[in-house]
Every structure is written in structure tokens, then in C-alpha cells.
């Protein structure tokens, strides 16, 4: 029964991804009863023209927090990237994985802040 539920969830995710157009940004919200560990600030690699740095974040695997390292993503003209973030909600801690949102001009913008810079007050 558990395997059938997981297979169904994966099928829905695959169909949604296959039909998602360039204007669509969707994410998954995951809830946890315990707060995530403190954010890790990895050194930002040198800038890459045409790319946006996606910050690392603590992911929830259903039983524990697991660090997902930062990575580069190709910039999308006309879009901003919203970084992953945890927020405390009515059902516990919720992970908003981030994603592309229409409105930017170079694929980054006010929502883009290199790792460690927000903590220093630079963003």
C-alpha cells in the first residue's frame, strides 16, 4: 500500500512537470514539527555569466533534516528566482522550495542574495 502511494505521488509529479510551461513556477511545501538547523553559509563560487546561484538549504526527508548544497541554475530572462526558505506555520515548520517567478529581467533580482550576504546585511 505504501509503495502504491509513493508511485502515485511520483506519477503526479512527473505529469505536472511534463505539462509545466515556461511561465509556471510551482513548488512543494513540506512540514516538520521541529525547526530546521541553523542555515549553513557556504562560500559562494565565482560568478557565472548567465547563471543564478541557488542557495543551499535544509531539506526534510521525512525523518531528519538533510543539507542540500547550493548550485548554479541557468538564468531565465524575465524571471526572478525565489530562494528556498523555512517558515513556521500553523502545522509546524514549512519548507518553501523556491522557484522561478515572472517579473525579473535577467533571471535574478531582489530575491537573489548570494550565500552569507543576507546574514551580513548586504541583501
Amino acid at each position: 500500500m505504501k509503495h502504491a502511494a509513493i508511485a502515485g505521488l511520483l506519477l503526479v509529479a512527473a505529469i505536472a512537470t511534463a505539462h509545466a510551461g515556461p511561465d509556471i513556477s510551482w513548488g512543494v511545501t513540506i512540514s516538520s514539527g521541529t525547526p530546521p538547523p541553523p542555515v549553513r553559509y557556504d562560500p559562494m563560487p565565482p560568478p557565472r555569466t548567465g547563471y543564478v546561484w541557488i542557495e543551499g538549504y535544509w531539506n526534510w526527508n521525512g525523518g531528519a533534516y538533510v543539507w542540500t548544497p547550493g548550485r548554479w541554475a541557468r538564468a531565465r530572462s524575465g524571471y526572478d528566482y525565489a530562494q528556498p526558505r523555512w517558515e513556521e506555520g500553523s502545522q509546524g515548520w514549512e519548507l518553501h522550495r523556491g522557484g522561478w517567478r515572472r517579473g525579473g529581467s535577467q533571471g535574478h533580482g531582489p530575491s537573489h542574495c548570494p550565500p552569507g550576504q543576507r546574514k551580513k546585511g548586504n541583501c
Side-chain angles (χ1 to χ4, degrees):
M1 179 81 165
K2 184 177 179 181
H3 295 292
I6 292 171
L9 181 60
L10 291 174
L11 178 61
V12 169
I15 291 169
T17 302
H19 293 291
D23 295 7
I24 298 172
S25 173
W26 62 280
V28 176
T29 300
I30 297 174
S31 295
S32 166
T34 58
V39 175
R40 288 175 35 177
Y41 293 100
D42 298 327
M44 183 174 177
R48 291 179 64 182
T49 302
Y51 287 82
V52 173
W53 178 252
I54 298 174
E55 297 175 6
Y57 63 97
W58 289 104
N59 197 6
W60 179 254
N61 71 3
Y65 288 99
V66 178
W67 181 252
T68 301
R71 63 183 170 85
W72 289 108
R74 186 174 299 277
R76 297 177 62 185
S77 182
Y79 290 82
D80 288 330
Y81 189 83
Q83 297 291 339
R85 71 186 189 289
W86 281 94
E87 291 181 354
E88 189 171 13
S90 60
Q91 309 247 330
W93 286 88
E94 300 173 348
L95 171 61
H96 302 274
R97 292 185 185 259
W100 295 102
R101 299 201 174 118
R102 188 176 273 295
S105 57
Q106 276 99 33
H108 58 81
S111 63
H112 173 71
C113 186
Q117 299 304 309
R118 185 173 291 122
K119 184 177 181 180
K120 294 177 184 176
N122 295 332
C123 300

